[in-house]
Amino acid sequence: MIEGVKILKKQIISDERGKILHMLRNDDENFSKFGEIYFSIVYPKIAKAWHIHQKMTLNYVAVYGEIKLVLFDDRTNSKTKGEIQEIFLSNNNHYLVTIPPFIWNGFCSTNNELAVLANCSDIPHDKEEIKRIPFNDRRIPYSWKFKD
């Protein structure tokens, strides 16, 4: 597991009417502060990768569909420098993944269906603090493979 990343099982409340999927509360151990919440729509067979934040802490959950979240630790002084971590998220595998700044991340739908990932970040989006590289950039030793 990449140093500083937290994966927390979140509560699901189900009854005959449907489900409530918890995401983040202000009394959760990994909550720091509220910046904004947004939803990322992921089209089939498309990797939304790679990006890295210099200030923002990410708090991801799958809202709809199945997501493969991939992390790459490129931090110079990290004990897990060079490590790749794959995390699979869905309504049935309901986890909150907290990603600190300076961890490369990307995600895709795990099947041929649209998926939605929510992020409840600790600061509002700032285009000046995010860096992006293409999904197939050779600096990150990962190959995105999609099912037909």
mmCIF file of all heavy atoms in Angstrom, residues 23-24 30-39 53 55-61 96-99 118-126 129:
data_model
loop_
_atom_site.group_PDB
_atom_site.id
_atom_site.type_symbol
_atom_site.label_atom_id
_atom_site.label_comp_id
_atom_site.label_asym_id
_atom_site.label_seq_id
_atom_site.Cartn_x
_atom_site.Cartn_y
_atom_site.Cartn_z
ATOM 1 N N MET A 23 -20.203 8.520 2.431
ATOM 2 C CA MET A 23 -18.960 8.934 1.796
ATOM 3 C C MET A 23 -17.977 9.495 2.814
ATOM 4 O O MET A 23 -16.969 8.884 3.114
ATOM 5 C CB MET A 23 -19.215 9.966 0.694
ATOM 6 C CG MET A 23 -17.956 10.372 -0.026
ATOM 7 S SD MET A 23 -18.291 11.462 -1.422
ATOM 8 C CE MET A 23 -16.637 11.793 -1.962
ATOM 9 N N LEU A 24 -18.272 10.670 3.362
ATOM 10 C CA LEU A 24 -17.334 11.343 4.249
ATOM 11 C C LEU A 24 -18.111 12.199 5.238
ATOM 12 O O LEU A 24 -19.008 12.940 4.836
ATOM 13 C CB LEU A 24 -16.377 12.226 3.426
ATOM 14 C CG LEU A 24 -15.232 12.916 4.133
ATOM 15 C CD1 LEU A 24 -14.277 11.911 4.759
ATOM 16 C CD2 LEU A 24 -14.461 13.793 3.156
ATOM 17 N N ASN A 30 -10.253 10.525 8.658
ATOM 18 C CA ASN A 30 -9.479 11.085 7.557
ATOM 19 C C ASN A 30 -10.009 12.423 7.055
ATOM 20 O O ASN A 30 -9.483 12.966 6.096
ATOM 21 C CB ASN A 30 -9.401 10.094 6.397
ATOM 22 C CG ASN A 30 -10.769 9.679 5.912
ATOM 23 O OD1 ASN A 30 -11.722 9.662 6.676
ATOM 24 N ND2 ASN A 30 -10.878 9.323 4.657
ATOM 25 N N PHE A 31 -11.016 12.972 7.705
ATOM 26 C CA PHE A 31 -11.536 14.273 7.296
ATOM 27 C C PHE A 31 -10.625 15.381 7.818
ATOM 28 O O PHE A 31 -10.242 15.391 8.982
ATOM 29 C CB PHE A 31 -12.960 14.486 7.837
ATOM 30 C CG PHE A 31 -13.525 15.840 7.476
ATOM 31 C CD1 PHE A 31 -14.078 16.064 6.231
ATOM 32 C CD2 PHE A 31 -13.472 16.889 8.380
ATOM 33 C CE1 PHE A 31 -14.588 17.312 5.890
ATOM 34 C CE2 PHE A 31 -13.983 18.137 8.054
ATOM 35 C CZ PHE A 31 -14.539 18.346 6.806
ATOM 36 N N SER A 32 -10.260 16.327 6.933
ATOM 37 C CA SER A 32 -9.481 17.481 7.398
ATOM 38 C C SER A 32 -10.298 18.756 7.274
ATOM 39 O O SER A 32 -10.495 19.463 8.255
ATOM 40 C CB SER A 32 -8.162 17.599 6.636
ATOM 41 O OG SER A 32 -8.399 17.806 5.262
ATOM 42 N N LYS A 33 -10.796 19.041 6.062
ATOM 43 C CA LYS A 33 -11.651 20.199 5.850
ATOM 44 C C LYS A 33 -12.350 20.028 4.515
ATOM 45 O O LYS A 33 -11.948 19.207 3.687
ATOM 46 C CB LYS A 33 -10.856 21.504 5.884
ATOM 47 C CG LYS A 33 -9.782 21.603 4.816
ATOM 48 C CD LYS A 33 -8.971 22.883 4.940
ATOM 49 C CE LYS A 33 -7.889 22.892 3.863
ATOM 50 N NZ LYS A 33 -7.116 24.096 3.866
ATOM 51 N N PHE A 34 -13.370 20.821 4.302
ATOM 52 C CA PHE A 34 -14.142 20.735 3.062
ATOM 53 C C PHE A 34 -13.669 21.787 2.074
ATOM 54 O O PHE A 34 -13.529 22.955 2.426
ATOM 55 C CB PHE A 34 -15.630 20.934 3.346
ATOM 56 C CG PHE A 34 -16.467 20.946 2.097
ATOM 57 C CD1 PHE A 34 -16.772 19.772 1.441
ATOM 58 C CD2 PHE A 34 -16.923 22.136 1.560
ATOM 59 C CE1 PHE A 34 -17.530 19.770 0.275
ATOM 60 C CE2 PHE A 34 -17.676 22.160 0.402
ATOM 61 C CZ PHE A 34 -17.981 20.969 -0.248
ATOM 62 N N GLY A 35 -13.411 21.364 0.844
ATOM 63 C CA GLY A 35 -13.070 22.282 -0.229
ATOM 64 C C GLY A 35 -14.183 22.331 -1.259
ATOM 65 O O GLY A 35 -14.779 23.373 -1.501
ATOM 66 N N GLU A 36 -14.488 21.172 -1.849
ATOM 67 C CA GLU A 36 -15.586 21.056 -2.796
ATOM 68 C C GLU A 36 -15.862 19.575 -3.044
ATOM 69 O O GLU A 36 -15.040 18.720 -2.726
ATOM 70 C CB GLU A 36 -15.272 21.754 -4.119
ATOM 71 C CG GLU A 36 -14.265 21.043 -4.989
ATOM 72 C CD GLU A 36 -14.141 21.643 -6.387
ATOM 73 O OE1 GLU A 36 -15.166 21.986 -6.995
ATOM 74 O OE2 GLU A 36 -13.003 21.756 -6.854
ATOM 75 N N ILE A 37 -17.015 19.296 -3.608
ATOM 76 C CA ILE A 37 -17.324 17.951 -4.073
ATOM 77 C C ILE A 37 -17.678 18.043 -5.542
ATOM 78 O O ILE A 37 -18.356 18.974 -5.973
ATOM 79 C CB ILE A 37 -18.446 17.276 -3.254
ATOM 80 C CG1 ILE A 37 -18.591 15.813 -3.665
ATOM 81 C CG2 ILE A 37 -19.746 18.031 -3.359
ATOM 82 C CD1 ILE A 37 -19.398 14.979 -2.696
ATOM 83 N N TYR A 38 -17.146 17.093 -6.302
ATOM 84 C CA TYR A 38 -17.489 17.027 -7.724
ATOM 85 C C TYR A 38 -17.531 15.572 -8.157
ATOM 86 O O TYR A 38 -17.045 14.681 -7.454
ATOM 87 C CB TYR A 38 -16.528 17.850 -8.590
ATOM 88 C CG TYR A 38 -15.094 17.408 -8.569
ATOM 89 C CD1 TYR A 38 -14.636 16.397 -9.430
ATOM 90 C CD2 TYR A 38 -14.174 17.998 -7.726
ATOM 91 C CE1 TYR A 38 -13.320 16.001 -9.419
ATOM 92 C CE2 TYR A 38 -12.853 17.613 -7.713
ATOM 93 C CZ TYR A 38 -12.434 16.611 -8.566
ATOM 94 O OH TYR A 38 -11.126 16.219 -8.550
ATOM 95 N N PHE A 39 -18.114 15.354 -9.331
ATOM 96 C CA PHE A 39 -18.306 14.016 -9.862
ATOM 97 C C PHE A 39 -17.611 13.914 -11.206
ATOM 98 O O PHE A 39 -17.773 14.781 -12.058
ATOM 99 C CB PHE A 39 -19.800 13.707 -10.012
ATOM 100 C CG PHE A 39 -20.537 13.850 -8.722
ATOM 101 C CD1 PHE A 39 -21.111 15.062 -8.366
ATOM 102 C CD2 PHE A 39 -20.619 12.793 -7.838
ATOM 103 C CE1 PHE A 39 -21.768 15.219 -7.165
ATOM 104 C CE2 PHE A 39 -21.273 12.942 -6.630
ATOM 105 C CZ PHE A 39 -21.852 14.147 -6.289
ATOM 106 N N HIS A 53 -1.821 16.250 -7.773
ATOM 107 C CA HIS A 53 -2.120 17.519 -7.101
ATOM 108 C C HIS A 53 -0.966 17.883 -6.181
ATOM 109 O O HIS A 53 -0.394 17.024 -5.517
ATOM 110 C CB HIS A 53 -3.417 17.402 -6.290
ATOM 111 C CG HIS A 53 -4.627 17.290 -7.145
ATOM 112 N ND1 HIS A 53 -5.269 18.388 -7.656
ATOM 113 C CD2 HIS A 53 -5.303 16.210 -7.601
ATOM 114 C CE1 HIS A 53 -6.305 17.995 -8.375
ATOM 115 N NE2 HIS A 53 -6.349 16.676 -8.371
ATOM 116 N N LYS A 55 -1.367 20.401 -3.781
ATOM 117 C CA LYS A 55 -1.938 20.848 -2.505
ATOM 118 C C LYS A 55 -3.157 20.033 -2.079
ATOM 119 O O LYS A 55 -3.391 19.857 -0.899
ATOM 120 C CB LYS A 55 -2.357 22.321 -2.602
ATOM 121 C CG LYS A 55 -1.222 23.277 -2.872
ATOM 122 C CD LYS A 55 -1.736 24.688 -3.035
ATOM 123 C CE LYS A 55 -0.628 25.642 -3.439
ATOM 124 N NZ LYS A 55 -1.154 26.984 -3.742
ATOM 125 N N MET A 56 -3.944 19.594 -3.039
ATOM 126 C CA MET A 56 -5.243 18.971 -2.758
ATOM 127 C C MET A 56 -5.110 17.531 -2.253
ATOM 128 O O MET A 56 -4.360 16.736 -2.802
ATOM 129 C CB MET A 56 -6.098 18.965 -4.031
ATOM 130 C CG MET A 56 -7.495 18.384 -3.854
ATOM 131 S SD MET A 56 -8.422 18.278 -5.414
ATOM 132 C CE MET A 56 -8.773 20.013 -5.711
ATOM 133 N N THR A 57 -5.879 17.216 -1.200
ATOM 134 C CA THR A 57 -6.084 15.842 -0.769
ATOM 135 C C THR A 57 -7.398 15.387 -1.379
ATOM 136 O O THR A 57 -8.415 16.082 -1.276
ATOM 137 C CB THR A 57 -6.134 15.735 0.766
ATOM 138 O OG1 THR A 57 -4.855 16.115 1.290
ATOM 139 C CG2 THR A 57 -6.469 14.328 1.221
ATOM 140 N N LEU A 58 -7.371 14.227 -2.027
ATOM 141 C CA LEU A 58 -8.538 13.669 -2.699
ATOM 142 C C LEU A 58 -9.246 12.680 -1.784
ATOM 143 O O LEU A 58 -8.590 11.966 -1.021
ATOM 144 C CB LEU A 58 -8.106 12.940 -3.977
ATOM 145 C CG LEU A 58 -7.231 13.732 -4.939
ATOM 146 C CD1 LEU A 58 -6.644 12.814 -5.998
ATOM 147 C CD2 LEU A 58 -8.027 14.848 -5.569
ATOM 148 N N ASN A 59 -10.551 12.625 -1.880
ATOM 149 C CA ASN A 59 -11.361 11.631 -1.172
ATOM 150 C C ASN A 59 -12.337 11.054 -2.184
ATOM 151 O O ASN A 59 -13.365 11.655 -2.480
ATOM 152 C CB ASN A 59 -12.114 12.276 -0.002
ATOM 153 C CG ASN A 59 -11.200 12.663 1.121
ATOM 154 O OD1 ASN A 59 -10.676 11.811 1.819
ATOM 155 N ND2 ASN A 59 -10.979 13.953 1.286
ATOM 156 N N TYR A 60 -11.993 9.877 -2.731
ATOM 157 C CA TYR A 60 -12.744 9.264 -3.814
ATOM 158 C C TYR A 60 -13.673 8.151 -3.332
ATOM 159 O O TYR A 60 -13.266 7.323 -2.493
ATOM 160 C CB TYR A 60 -11.785 8.609 -4.809
ATOM 161 C CG TYR A 60 -11.021 9.505 -5.740
ATOM 162 C CD1 TYR A 60 -9.804 9.060 -6.267
ATOM 163 C CD2 TYR A 60 -11.470 10.753 -6.143
ATOM 164 C CE1 TYR A 60 -9.083 9.831 -7.172
ATOM 165 C CE2 TYR A 60 -10.753 11.533 -7.034
ATOM 166 C CZ TYR A 60 -9.559 11.060 -7.546
ATOM 167 O OH TYR A 60 -8.851 11.825 -8.435
ATOM 168 N N VAL A 61 -14.870 8.089 -3.910
ATOM 169 C CA VAL A 61 -15.758 6.927 -3.815
ATOM 170 C C VAL A 61 -16.426 6.734 -5.173
ATOM 171 O O VAL A 61 -16.641 7.700 -5.911
ATOM 172 C CB VAL A 61 -16.855 7.032 -2.729
ATOM 173 C CG1 VAL A 61 -16.288 7.091 -1.338
ATOM 174 C CG2 VAL A 61 -17.795 8.169 -2.982
ATOM 175 N N LEU A 96 -13.929 4.479 0.742
ATOM 176 C CA LEU A 96 -13.443 5.841 0.553
ATOM 177 C C LEU A 96 -11.922 5.747 0.480
ATOM 178 O O LEU A 96 -11.281 5.174 1.367
ATOM 179 C CB LEU A 96 -13.851 6.728 1.722
ATOM 180 C CG LEU A 96 -13.227 8.122 1.758
ATOM 181 C CD1 LEU A 96 -13.776 8.986 0.641
ATOM 182 C CD2 LEU A 96 -13.478 8.780 3.102
ATOM 183 N N VAL A 97 -11.342 6.294 -0.585
ATOM 184 C CA VAL A 97 -9.891 6.293 -0.747
ATOM 185 C C VAL A 97 -9.406 7.734 -0.610
ATOM 186 O O VAL A 97 -9.816 8.608 -1.369
ATOM 187 C CB VAL A 97 -9.474 5.726 -2.118
ATOM 188 C CG1 VAL A 97 -7.956 5.751 -2.260
ATOM 189 C CG2 VAL A 97 -10.013 4.313 -2.308
ATOM 190 N N THR A 98 -8.567 7.967 0.387
ATOM 191 C CA THR A 98 -7.985 9.281 0.616
ATOM 192 C C THR A 98 -6.561 9.274 0.076
ATOM 193 O O THR A 98 -5.749 8.432 0.456
ATOM 194 C CB THR A 98 -7.999 9.636 2.114
ATOM 195 O OG1 THR A 98 -9.351 9.614 2.574
ATOM 196 C CG2 THR A 98 -7.396 11.010 2.370
ATOM 197 N N ILE A 99 -6.297 10.231 -0.832
ATOM 198 C CA ILE A 99 -5.007 10.301 -1.518
ATOM 199 C C ILE A 99 -4.367 11.647 -1.208
ATOM 200 O O ILE A 99 -4.916 12.695 -1.564
ATOM 201 C CB ILE A 99 -5.187 10.147 -3.040
ATOM 202 C CG1 ILE A 99 -5.952 8.857 -3.354
ATOM 203 C CG2 ILE A 99 -3.841 10.190 -3.758
ATOM 204 C CD1 ILE A 99 -6.460 8.785 -4.782
ATOM 205 N N ALA A 118 -16.864 10.127 -7.313
ATOM 206 C CA ALA A 118 -17.026 11.377 -6.570
ATOM 207 C C ALA A 118 -15.728 11.712 -5.853
ATOM 208 O O ALA A 118 -15.030 10.818 -5.364
ATOM 209 C CB ALA A 118 -18.154 11.250 -5.553
ATOM 210 N N ASN A 119 -15.423 13.009 -5.787
ATOM 211 C CA ASN A 119 -14.285 13.491 -5.014
ATOM 212 C C ASN A 119 -14.765 14.588 -4.080
ATOM 213 O O ASN A 119 -15.326 15.589 -4.523
ATOM 214 C CB ASN A 119 -13.189 14.050 -5.923
ATOM 215 C CG ASN A 119 -12.002 14.581 -5.125
ATOM 216 O OD1 ASN A 119 -11.772 14.180 -3.995
ATOM 217 N ND2 ASN A 119 -11.253 15.483 -5.721
ATOM 218 N N CYS A 120 -14.536 14.384 -2.791
ATOM 219 C CA CYS A 120 -14.796 15.418 -1.784
ATOM 220 C C CYS A 120 -13.421 15.903 -1.326
ATOM 221 O O CYS A 120 -12.829 15.352 -0.408
ATOM 222 C CB CYS A 120 -15.606 14.855 -0.620
ATOM 223 S SG CYS A 120 -16.061 16.114 0.579
ATOM 224 N N SER A 121 -12.915 16.921 -1.998
ATOM 225 C CA SER A 121 -11.557 17.386 -1.751
ATOM 226 C C SER A 121 -11.494 18.366 -0.585
ATOM 227 O O SER A 121 -12.505 18.927 -0.167
ATOM 228 C CB SER A 121 -10.998 18.044 -3.014
ATOM 229 O OG SER A 121 -11.754 19.181 -3.349
ATOM 230 N N ASP A 122 -10.277 18.566 -0.103
ATOM 231 C CA ASP A 122 -10.096 19.464 1.041
ATOM 232 C C ASP A 122 -9.897 20.920 0.637
ATOM 233 O O ASP A 122 -9.904 21.806 1.491
ATOM 234 C CB ASP A 122 -8.941 18.991 1.927
ATOM 235 C CG ASP A 122 -7.586 19.053 1.248
ATOM 236 O OD1 ASP A 122 -7.521 19.113 -0.003
ATOM 237 O OD2 ASP A 122 -6.567 19.043 1.967
ATOM 238 N N ILE A 123 -9.688 21.186 -0.661
ATOM 239 C CA ILE A 123 -9.616 22.559 -1.170
ATOM 240 C C ILE A 123 -10.388 22.613 -2.483
ATOM 241 O O ILE A 123 -10.528 21.597 -3.166
ATOM 242 C CB ILE A 123 -8.157 23.050 -1.391
ATOM 243 C CG1 ILE A 123 -7.433 22.196 -2.441
ATOM 244 C CG2 ILE A 123 -7.393 23.097 -0.078
ATOM 245 C CD1 ILE A 123 -6.080 22.733 -2.863
ATOM 246 N N PRO A 124 -10.876 23.784 -2.890
ATOM 247 C CA PRO A 124 -11.519 23.903 -4.199
ATOM 248 C C PRO A 124 -10.515 23.656 -5.325
ATOM 249 O O PRO A 124 -9.314 23.888 -5.165
ATOM 250 C CB PRO A 124 -12.022 25.347 -4.234
ATOM 251 C CG PRO A 124 -12.081 25.777 -2.813
ATOM 252 C CD PRO A 124 -10.982 25.028 -2.113
ATOM 253 N N HIS A 125 -11.024 23.201 -6.458
ATOM 254 C CA HIS A 125 -10.171 22.957 -7.621
ATOM 255 C C HIS A 125 -9.424 24.244 -8.001
ATOM 256 O O HIS A 125 -9.986 25.324 -8.029
ATOM 257 C CB HIS A 125 -11.014 22.487 -8.810
ATOM 258 C CG HIS A 125 -10.215 22.293 -10.048
ATOM 259 N ND1 HIS A 125 -9.366 21.218 -10.228
ATOM 260 C CD2 HIS A 125 -10.099 23.047 -11.157
ATOM 261 C CE1 HIS A 125 -8.780 21.323 -11.400
ATOM 262 N NE2 HIS A 125 -9.210 22.421 -11.991
ATOM 263 N N ASP A 126 -8.154 24.088 -8.281
ATOM 264 C CA ASP A 126 -7.291 25.197 -8.702
ATOM 265 C C ASP A 126 -6.420 24.665 -9.831
ATOM 266 O O ASP A 126 -5.552 23.812 -9.596
ATOM 267 C CB ASP A 126 -6.436 25.661 -7.525
ATOM 268 C CG ASP A 126 -5.413 26.716 -7.887
ATOM 269 O OD1 ASP A 126 -5.319 27.101 -9.077
ATOM 270 O OD2 ASP A 126 -4.674 27.144 -6.987
ATOM 271 N N GLU A 129 -2.593 24.159 -9.432
ATOM 272 C CA GLU A 129 -1.932 23.211 -8.531
ATOM 273 C C GLU A 129 -2.001 21.770 -9.028
ATOM 274 O O GLU A 129 -1.525 20.852 -8.373
ATOM 275 C CB GLU A 129 -2.478 23.332 -7.098
ATOM 276 C CG GLU A 129 -3.881 22.836 -6.848
ATOM 277 C CD GLU A 129 -3.961 21.356 -6.510
ATOM 278 O OE1 GLU A 129 -3.138 20.818 -5.756
ATOM 279 O OE2 GLU A 129 -4.881 20.731 -7.031
#
